[in-house]
Amino acid sequence: MSAAPASSASDARLRHLFDPRGVIIVGASSHPAKFGFVALHNVLAQRFAGKVFAVNRDGGEILGLTTATDVCEIPAGEADLALVCTPAAANPDVLRACAAKGVKAVYVVSGGYRETGPDGRRAEEELVALADKLDIVLAGPNGQGLVSTPAGLCAQIVGPYPVTGAISIASQSGNTTSSFMNYANHSGVGIARAVSAGNAAAVTVADYLRWYRDDPATRVAFAYLEHTADGRATFEAMRSVTARLPVVLVKGGVSAVGQQAAASHTGALAGEQRIFTGAMHQAGVSLVATVEEAFDAAATFATQPLPRGPNTAVVTTAGGWGVMTADALAASSLRLMPLPDDLRAAIDTKLPPRWSRANPIDLAGGESRDTVPEVLELVAAHPAVDAVIFLGLGIQSNSARLLRDGRFYPDHGLERIVAFHERQDRRFAEAAAAASAASGKPVLVATELGVTDPANPGPAAVRDSGRYCYPSANRAVTALEHLWRYARFRQRRGW
């Protein structure tokens, strides 16, 4: 990543992208299949609070909005951001017209630049130089747009629009951005800002991350990166961001064929993977291999406190889950801690003698109405425990579903026991969140029902509590390990 030109605006001026007073859609279209239609529709559909203008060379009305035939017809000073959907050859004139109207940031959706070869590269370099001269922030080109949920802004040519949250995304792949937002909508752990960097001609992924570092709406950043032109600059940028907030990164183009794909995608080659990996770890970045793991990690950073140490306790309603979780912990940098004598004695007062009396804390079916909340509270509050993983949520609701769907319901008192089972699972999810809040420690809840039956009252209550429901214990362990590595990174620096 070379020294950023002035048009990269890796400072407060990026607020014009994410919190604009008004938006102009240049190249708006009345045809539903055109980018210009989709971009205008998405801005209007999410009820962006600022003013919205559209430019279509034929004029007329689109989606109830009267369009201008030229940018020069737009009132000056009413819009900070322009979303440009016009062909590459028209874009220099579009930028000049936008600058004359007081536009401070332009997102260029159009392709036809570096990704197409030498001529496109020259056109891209000229567009960057022009934006620099006009003092306009230039995002893209060849990108899918951006989202800013605090502003109600959906300035993109794809879906979805995510639920509001604290994760912010900067990606060299628009589809990866969409995937991340799909996970957000499924899990309920939402997004603050998201931008497809496209070719990142002027504003780089690192520039967006630096802006997120100082953004009050952002608690964790996710980045997808295929290439960097200056590894040292990337390292310094990442290190400056991780001093404030965690960064989860997926690196594309790690294989020879992946590098070839990256070249055709954004017009640049990936660098040496081994050196890059070492630099990112040194900078405190959570480097992961897949988008699934990245979302697990980012959602955990967004919803859980950092652990003070590696000591992990596992609370499970059945033995097999605990055994597999113990294996996963043994393969990690976390520690399946021995159960302290005083904690064992306290749990003894809550459970019959058949419980495991060790960690994992296998309740062995001995739980009564209040056992799970009480044990979770005891375990999380113990000073030797740094983190808790809770397994078994949703079992009672699964049993209730069999009763509810059977031919004997609602007679024979079944409606009462069904309601009780479902109420218990909701209580358990709420108890996990309460134990975390009271202790200041991460308490992770894992059940495959989060994906196989998200309407189950257990995982549904996890979402309602603002926490993330992990699809498996293994994924919970991996996510918790990312938390611990980042916490240890900060501890070593005295932060």
Side-chain angles (χ1 to χ4, degrees):
M1 200 174 302
S2 58
S7 56
S8 74
S10 56
D11 55 43
R13 289 195 301 143
L14 283 183
R15 74 183 186 278
H16 299 301
L17 279 173
F18 295 107
D19 290 306
R21 292 173 299 167
V23 179
I24 306 172
I25 311 300
V26 185
S29 172
S30 60
H31 194 300
K34 299 289 187 179
F35 287 162
F37 177 92
V38 177
L40 178 60
H41 170 273
N42 290 347
V43 171
L44 292 174
Q46 297 305 325
R47 292 179 169 83
F48 169 62
K51 294 185 177 181
V52 180
F53 305 93
V55 177
N56 176 290
R57 64 183 179 182
D58 297 323
E61 186 177 284
I62 304 174
L63 296 172
L65 185 68
T66 301
T67 68
T69 59
D70 194 283
V71 175
C72 67
E73 299 174 18
I74 303 295
E78 297 287 337
D80 299 321
L81 171 63
L83 192 63
V84 177
C85 303
T86 47
N91 289 342
D93 286 341
V94 169
L95 259 64
R96 293 185 187 97
C98 286
K101 292 299 179 177
V103 169
K104 304 298 184 184
V106 171
Y107 190 106
V108 178
V109 172
S110 321
Y113 289 97
R114 179 175 56 198
E115 76 283 0
T116 64
D119 290 343
R121 180 178 293 276
R122 281 192 294 273
E124 184 173 299
E125 291 170 350
E126 291 168 1
L127 196 68
V128 171
L130 177 60
D132 190 21
K133 179 181 178 181
L134 297 171
D135 196 25
I136 285 181
V137 176
L138 174 65
N142 185 34
Q144 293 186 353
L146 63 95
V147 159
S148 179
T149 60
L153 179 62
C154 184
Q156 60 179 359
I157 58 171
V158 293
Y161 184 71
V163 295
T164 301
I167 303 172
S168 289
I169 304 166
S171 173
Q172 287 180 341
S173 162
N175 290 331
T176 300
T177 306
S178 296
S179 294
F180 222 76
M181 294 191 293
N182 285 330
Y183 283 119
N185 284 345
H186 175 266
S187 68
V189 181
I191 305 299
R193 326 283 189 175
V195 61
S196 161
N199 290 1
V203 187
T204 67
V205 167
D207 293 325
Y208 293 119
L209 294 178
R210 276 192 291 259
W211 191 81
Y212 295 157
R213 174 191 62 194
D214 301 317
D215 175 28
T218 301
R219 288 185 57 190
V220 54
F222 163 70
Y224 172 78
L225 196 63
E226 289 179 356
H227 62 84
T228 60
D230 187 335
R232 169 56 63 178
T234 302
F235 170 75
E236 295 294 346
M238 294 294 184
R239 187 166 63 174
S240 75
V241 178
T242 57
R244 292 277 190 92
L245 52 81
V247 175
V248 180
L249 174 66
V250 172
K251 177 67 165 60
V254 299
S255 64
V257 292
Q259 290 180 13
Q260 292 173 359
S264 63
H265 178 207
T266 56
L269 289 173
E272 170 57 50
Q273 179 63 19
R274 181 180 58 82
I275 297 173
F276 180 86
T277 297
M280 291 302 98
H281 285 158
Q282 188 178 351
V285 171
S286 296
L287 194 60
V288 301
T290 67
V291 174
E292 292 88 348
E293 183 182 346
F295 188 82
D296 288 351
T300 308
F301 280 119
T303 61
Q304 297 280 355
L306 293 178
R308 301 181 185 94
N311 287 340
T312 306
V314 178
V315 177
T316 177
T317 61
W321 290 326
V323 172
M324 290 185 286
T325 308
D327 288 340
L329 287 166
S332 75
S333 60
L334 298 164
R335 178 173 181 252
L336 184 68
M337 56 177 288
L339 202 62
D341 291 339
D342 60 335
L343 181 54
R344 183 185 297 107
I347 297 173
D348 266 336
T349 67
K350 306 295 181 183
L351 290 169
R354 67 177 181 273
W355 76 279
S356 65
R357 301 181 57 75
N359 187 20
I361 301 164
D362 179 6
L363 307 184
E367 61 270 18
S368 61
R369 181 181 180 277
D370 298 317
T371 303
V372 168
E374 290 175 348
V375 170
L376 284 173
E377 182 182 8
L378 281 172
V379 174
H382 194 279
V385 175
D386 297 313
V388 181
I389 296 175
F390 172 48
L391 311 172
L393 184 72
I395 290 178
Q396 293 198 35
S397 294
N398 251 3
S399 297
R401 184 172 185 174
L402 281 175
L403 296 173
R404 185 192 293 275
D405 293 346
R407 64 191 181 93
F408 300 105
Y409 184 86
D411 299 325
H412 310 283
L414 295 184
E415 72 280 5
R416 292 193 299 274
I417 193 64
V418 164
F420 173 76
H421 284 327
E422 293 177 344
R423 185 167 61 250
Q424 283 294 89
D425 273 326
R426 284 191 289 267
R427 285 188 67 219
F428 298 165
E430 292 163 358
S436 175
S439 64
K441 301 173 185 178
V443 178
L444 282 61
V445 179
T447 170
E448 74 282 356
L449 291 166
V451 292
T452 61
D453 186 15
N456 180 294
V462 174
R463 290 193 298 275
D464 291 343
S465 74
R467 303 290 174 123
Y468 182 53
C469 189
Y470 300 84
S472 70
N474 281 48
R475 285 172 64 171
V477 169
T478 300
L480 180 59
E481 186 174 21
H482 284 300
L483 244 67
W484 166 231
R485 285 175 176 169
Y486 180 66
R488 188 170 52 188
F489 167 79
R490 294 185 63 85
Q491 289 171 4
R492 288 172 174 171
R493 284 152 183 79
W495 296 338

